């Protein structure tokens, strides 16, 4: 009996540390959401309440009725979806070429991809700004789409390359023997098995593009109608002064799509990242 309890006793400090970490990480999120539902008098009170006694939706109405709310949502969704789709198409073709084909410079290509993945993208803001300015691409949503595509592409190639490496090539060879072309064998055999990897890379690309602020702030300067939600949120406080309730309501609405996407894809994310880490 004591032997059975020993592993549980040993895991108690780790479990306690895990619970503490979760609480520390989730408390700011809880405070943001609870503040969004609190009346203004409770928010400005000198005696903060951990659990609101009264709830209100006035702050959400203020955020939704703010100028440009629907326009900036449309911009963010358009840029995010376009960059994810473009990154998946290019990364899937590149990963398949690296994992299945044998060509000179394949290792060097993957080395360059790893280097690009490790590079701090914030350090490239000034060069990208100069390139966008010289090519007359400032204040345009396609510029942001290309930037987010560039940021998410290396990670997508790495994950999908490892995932394709876990699929036995004999499955595609058997389909080719039955009369399929190489492209047809990949589409009918390998592509359905890549669904977890595609979802994992899509989630990474969505979170990266949806939350990105620095490039959107530096590349969209004059054309305010081309701003995205993160930039709009940064100016939200200036618009409403000290209306922290409306600010927290807008932040909650901004975080909601990322939460929904993660909940929809969470079953496939773990297997996708694990398979992508396997050497093909």
């Amino acid at each position: 009996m004591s032997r059975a309890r020993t592993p549980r006793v040993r895991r108690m400090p780790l479990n306690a540390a895990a619970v503490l970490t979760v609480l520390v990480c989730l408390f700011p999120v809880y405070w943001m959401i609870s503040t969004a539902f609190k009346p203004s008098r409770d928010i400005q009170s000198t005696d903060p309440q951990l659990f609101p006694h009264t709830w209100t939706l006035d702050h959400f109405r203020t955020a939704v009725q703010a100028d440009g709310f629907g326009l900036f949502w449309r911009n963010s969704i358009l840029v995010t979806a376009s960059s994810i789709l473009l990154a998946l198409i290019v990364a899937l073709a590149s990963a398949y070429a690296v994992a299945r084909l044998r060509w000179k410079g394949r290792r060097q290509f993957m080395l360059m991809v790893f280097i690009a993945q490790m590079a701090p993208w914030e350090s490239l803001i000034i060069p990208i700004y100069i390139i966008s300015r010289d090519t007359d691409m400032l204040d345009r949503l396609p510029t942001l789409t290309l930037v987010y595509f560039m940021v998410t592409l290396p990670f997508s190639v790495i994950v999908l390359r490892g995932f394709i490496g876990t699929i036995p090539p004999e499955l595609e060879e058997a389909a080719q023997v039955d009369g399929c072309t190489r492209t047809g064998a990949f589409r009918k055999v390998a592509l359905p098995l890549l669904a977890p990897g595609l979802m994992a890379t899509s989630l990474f690309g969505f979170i990266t593009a949806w939350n990105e602020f620095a490039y959107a702030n530096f590349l969209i300067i004059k054309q305010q109608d081309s701003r995205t939600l993160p930039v709009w949120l940064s100016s939200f406080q200036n618009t409403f002064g000290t209306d922290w309730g409306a600010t927290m309501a807008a932040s909650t609405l901004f975080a909601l799509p990322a939460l929904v996407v993660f909940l929809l894809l969470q079953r496939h994310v773990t297997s996708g990242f694990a398979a992508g880490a396997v050497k093909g």
Side-chain angles (χ1 to χ4, degrees):
M1 192 71 172
S2 59
R3 292 182 178 179
R5 291 181 178 179
T6 300
R8 296 181 181 179
V9 173
R10 292 178 179 177
R11 289 197 298 266
M12 286 181 61
L14 297 177
N15 294 336
V19 171
L20 179 61
T21 302
V22 171
L23 292 177
V24 171
C25 294
L26 290 182
F27 182 76
V29 179
Y30 165 76
W31 194 258
M32 175 187 71
I33 297 175
S34 64
T35 303
F37 286 98
K38 290 180 181 178
S40 297
R41 64 177 182 275
D42 293 341
I43 298 175
Q44 299 174 1
S45 174
T46 57
D47 184 19
Q49 300 174 356
L50 184 61
F51 301 101
H53 297 297
T54 57
W55 300 80
T56 180
L57 296 176
D58 293 340
H59 302 310
F60 287 94
R61 296 190 186 98
T62 302
V64 172
Q65 294 173 1
D67 293 337
F69 178 79
L71 176 62
F72 300 140
W73 265 81
R74 186 205 67 181
N75 292 343
S76 291
I77 293 175
L78 181 62
V79 170
T80 301
S82 300
S83 61
I84 292 174
L85 181 61
L86 188 60
L88 285 180
I89 294 175
V90 177
L92 188 59
S94 302
Y96 184 84
V98 173
R100 285 287 189 265
L101 306 180
R102 296 294 179 265
W103 42 278
K104 187 176 181 181
R106 184 168 59 96
R107 295 182 180 274
Q108 291 77 4
F109 172 80
M110 284 305 302
L111 177 61
M112 295 298 295
V113 171
F114 276 104
I115 293 175
Q117 172 63 25
M118 293 185 293
W121 294 108
E122 291 79 6
S123 63
L124 300 178
I125 289 181
I126 295 178
I128 291 179
Y129 172 81
I130 294 175
I131 294 174
S132 301
R133 182 198 61 188
D134 295 343
T135 57
D136 195 24
M137 290 292 290
L138 288 177
D139 299 309
R140 297 185 181 182
L141 290 179
T143 305
L144 279 182
T145 301
L146 292 176
V147 170
Y148 297 158
F149 159 71
M150 176 187 67
V151 171
T152 57
L153 182 60
F155 177 84
S156 302
V157 172
I158 294 172
V159 172
L160 292 178
R161 177 253 186 184
F163 207 91
I164 292 175
T166 63
I167 301 176
E170 291 78 11
L171 296 178
E172 297 177 59
E173 294 174 359
Q176 289 180 273
V177 171
D178 291 337
C180 288
T181 61
R182 179 183 288 272
T183 303
F186 172 76
R187 180 173 57 84
K188 295 179 180 180
V189 178
L191 189 58
L193 299 176
L194 290 175
L198 294 174
M199 292 182 181
T201 54
S202 298
L203 178 62
F204 170 80
F206 180 87
I207 294 176
T208 300
W210 186 260
N211 295 329
E212 203 283 322
F213 170 79
Y215 284 100
N217 189 43
F218 277 93
L219 298 180
I220 306 297
I221 302 174
K222 298 179 181 179
Q223 187 59 262
Q224 299 300 310
D225 290 343
S226 297
R227 291 186 298 175
T228 56
L229 278 176
V231 181
W232 175 72
L233 279 177
S234 68
S235 61
F236 199 84
Q237 187 65 23
N238 296 330
T239 303
F240 291 93
T242 57
D243 193 348
W244 288 106
T247 303
M248 293 300 102
S251 301
T252 301
L253 293 174
F254 172 71
L256 190 60
L259 177 62
V260 171
V261 171
F262 177 79
L263 292 177
L264 292 175
L265 302 182
Q266 63 174 337
R267 295 182 179 180
H268 306 282
V269 169
T270 303
S271 60
F273 281 132
V278 177
K279 182 178 179 181

